[in-house]
Amino acid sequence: MGRIKIIFIILLISITGFNLYSQELVYDVSIHGKPVGNMLVTKKSLDSGKVYYSAVMDLEYKLFRPTQMVQLIEAIYQNDTLRQAYFVDKRNGEIVEEAKIEQLLGRKYYRTTRDTTKSWYEKAILKSTVKLYFNPPEKRDSVFSEITHQYQKIAKLPEENRFMMMSNEGEKTIISYNEMGICTQRDFNIGSVEYSLKLSKRKD
């Protein structure tokens, strides 16, 4: 697999401490069945009960025009509670969407920013979408989106180890898992564009 090209480096979240555990997953990404790039998902255990998650997607495709898309999600949990998360979507070198959420020190509520809109979120967040690559949801679960800052509903499908996630706008995502609880495939639509992420079986 070609290495995922990271065009820009964002140092929003400063991470220090001894790395106790690390796990990486690589996904092949296709649009309408055509390969367009890869996504690297990482989970790292840090000190002080912290766990770092990231998902970096690097795609090149042509729909209406040639596009290079880089998306980044970063999240830090401490004692199973989200402390901060960051999302950015960059197309052809331009930021088209950006979101940040941070739990204030010693508080349960969060300060949020989506593009230029600032707000507050009051409840502690225990599970967000980036964690779903390593942990299957429960049958009737809800998962916080680092992108929209809204909860998405989860439903168990009749097939074994398959779930459907639905946003407030009615957009559906189908997620499949293996017996180890690792996400093997994620299928979703953005408008009329069909995306599919499949866990790569290739070894580097």
Side-chain angles (χ1 to χ4, degrees):
M1 183 201 74
R3 292 188 179 274
I4 296 180
K5 298 171 291 183
I6 303 178
I7 300 175
F8 58 97
I9 300 174
I10 298 172
L11 298 177
L12 170 75
I13 302 175
S14 177
I15 302 173
T16 59
F18 181 67
N19 186 350
L20 301 175
Y21 172 82
S22 180
Q23 187 175 8
E24 291 185 347
L25 305 173
V26 177
Y27 293 85
D28 297 321
V29 183
S30 62
I31 294 178
H32 296 299
K34 180 180 178 181
V36 293
N38 304 99
M39 183 174 72
L40 174 66
V41 184
T42 303
K43 176 183 179 181
K44 293 182 180 180
S45 177
L46 308 175
D47 61 353
S48 303
K50 293 181 180 179
V51 180
Y52 168 78
Y53 296 86
S54 69
V56 183
M57 185 184 296
D58 186 12
L59 310 180
E60 290 187 16
Y61 58 87
K62 183 177 181 180
L63 293 175
F64 304 105
R65 63 184 180 119
T67 301
Q68 184 170 47
M69 180 179 80
V70 177
Q71 283 191 351
L72 168 69
I73 295 175
E74 289 183 310
I76 288 184
Y77 280 77
Q78 187 173 28
N79 301 324
D80 295 322
T81 300
L82 182 68
R83 296 306 182 195
Q84 53 188 355
Y86 179 71
F87 166 77
V88 67
D89 184 342
K90 199 169 186 180
R91 313 282 177 98
N92 293 333
E94 297 290 334
I95 293 177
V96 298
E97 191 174 2
E98 195 171 20
K100 178 171 60 176
I101 183 167
E102 181 180 14
Q103 189 176 43
L104 300 186
L105 186 64
R107 307 287 185 177
K108 289 186 177 180
Y109 56 83
Y110 298 82
R111 180 170 50 201
T112 71
T113 305
R114 292 193 67 237
D115 296 324
T116 58
T117 302
K118 299 181 183 297
S119 187
W120 299 90
Y121 192 83
E122 296 182 356
K123 296 176 62 177
I125 298 167
L126 306 180
K127 185 181 295 183
S128 61
T129 54
V130 74
K131 291 182 71 174
L132 292 181
Y133 292 99
F134 300 96
N135 302 103
E138 303 296 330
K139 289 184 178 180
R140 294 184 178 274
D141 209 347
S142 58
V143 180
F144 188 83
S145 169
E146 300 93 348
I147 301 173
T148 65
H149 291 176
Q150 297 177 342
Y151 272 94
Q152 303 192 53
K153 296 180 179 179
I154 297 284
K156 175 73 174 64
L157 296 177
E159 300 89 346
E160 187 176 3
N161 298 326
R162 294 185 79 225
F163 297 82
M164 179 176 69
M165 182 168 62
M166 182 176 294
S167 69
N168 290 348
E169 290 73 31
E171 295 177 336
K172 298 178 182 178
T173 298
I174 306 299
I175 310 174
S176 303
Y177 290 87
N178 61 20
E179 63 279 0
M180 299 175 63
I182 296 297
C183 173
T184 57
Q185 185 165 338
R186 180 176 169 227
D187 299 303
F188 60 97
N189 286 30
I190 298 180
S192 60
V193 182
E194 299 177 1
Y195 289 82
S196 182
L197 284 64
K198 294 183 180 180
L199 187 65
S200 175
K201 291 183 171 61
R202 292 172 294 182
K203 296 181 180 180
D204 291 323

